[in-house]
Amino acid sequence: MSGAPYVGFTDGACRSNRNLSSAAWVIYDPHGELIDLQGVCLGCTTNNVSEYSVVIELLAEAINLGIRVLVVNLDSQLVVHQLNGKYSIRDHHILRLYLRVRLLERNFDFITYQHIPRQLNTLTNALANHVLDRHLRNR
């Protein structure tokens, strides 16, 4: 690994009763300073699609910021295991998202995915839910 890693956190949120999902991510520099904080409404999709979509958004933003070394923290154990090659992917839509992640990874010198407990992912969780609440209020 060349240089200290930047650290990203991601979270997807779904309101199945409202057919709405969102994605939120943050990026910290190697010194722990917050350098990026974003959230987007994804529309109607599944939780797993939202979790993959937010990884794609995070990686794209990290590339735009010139980041080459990145640790990505997610509270979705399924997505972490799939990205780390421990679980296979059977769903064709998820496979397409997985392959997009793999293409984006080519822009990094080092990247890894770590599972973290939900209670360590509070900022992105709160932001993802805020995006949903704001979107629902403005419908």
Side-chain angles (χ1 to χ4, degrees):
M1 178 168 46
S2 58
Y6 285 73
V7 178
F9 290 83
T10 69
D11 199 17
C14 286
R15 302 265 172 86
S16 56
N17 61 332
R18 301 300 295 265
N19 289 328
L20 193 63
S21 66
S22 66
W25 65 94
V26 298
I27 302 174
Y28 295 93
D29 72 12
H31 305 289
E33 295 293 321
L34 179 66
I35 62 167
D36 191 56
L37 170 77
Q38 295 190 54
V40 296
C41 186
L42 299 171
C44 179
T45 190
T46 67
N47 188 55
N48 288 337
V49 168
S50 68
E51 294 287 354
Y52 267 98
S53 296
V54 71
V55 171
I56 290 166
E57 295 286 344
L58 171 78
L59 297 185
E61 185 60 24
I63 292 164
N64 287 338
L65 294 170
I67 295 169
R68 304 288 299 180
V69 178
L70 182 64
V71 174
V72 181
N73 294 296
L74 305 91
D75 59 27
S76 171
Q77 191 171 29
L78 173 70
V79 173
V80 169
H81 284 328
Q82 287 174 335
L83 291 172
N84 288 332
K86 292 182 182 178
Y87 291 174
S88 61
I89 300 168
R90 294 185 182 95
D91 181 272
H92 295 295
H93 187 63
I94 296 295
L95 181 59
R96 283 192 295 276
L97 295 171
Y98 169 88
L99 293 173
R100 285 184 64 197
V101 169
R102 292 297 184 229
L103 285 173
L104 290 167
E105 287 175 348
R106 294 178 180 183
N107 294 279
F108 295 89
D109 296 329
F110 175 84
I111 190 164
T112 190
Y113 303 94
Q114 298 180 148
H115 176 256
I116 60 169
R118 181 168 298 279
Q119 61 267 27
L120 296 180
N121 206 17
T122 55
L123 180 56
T124 54
N125 182 272
L127 181 56
N129 281 293
H130 173 75
V131 168
L132 285 179
D133 292 339
R134 186 171 169 204
H135 187 78
L136 288 169
R137 277 195 308 269
N138 294 328
R139 271 190 159 175

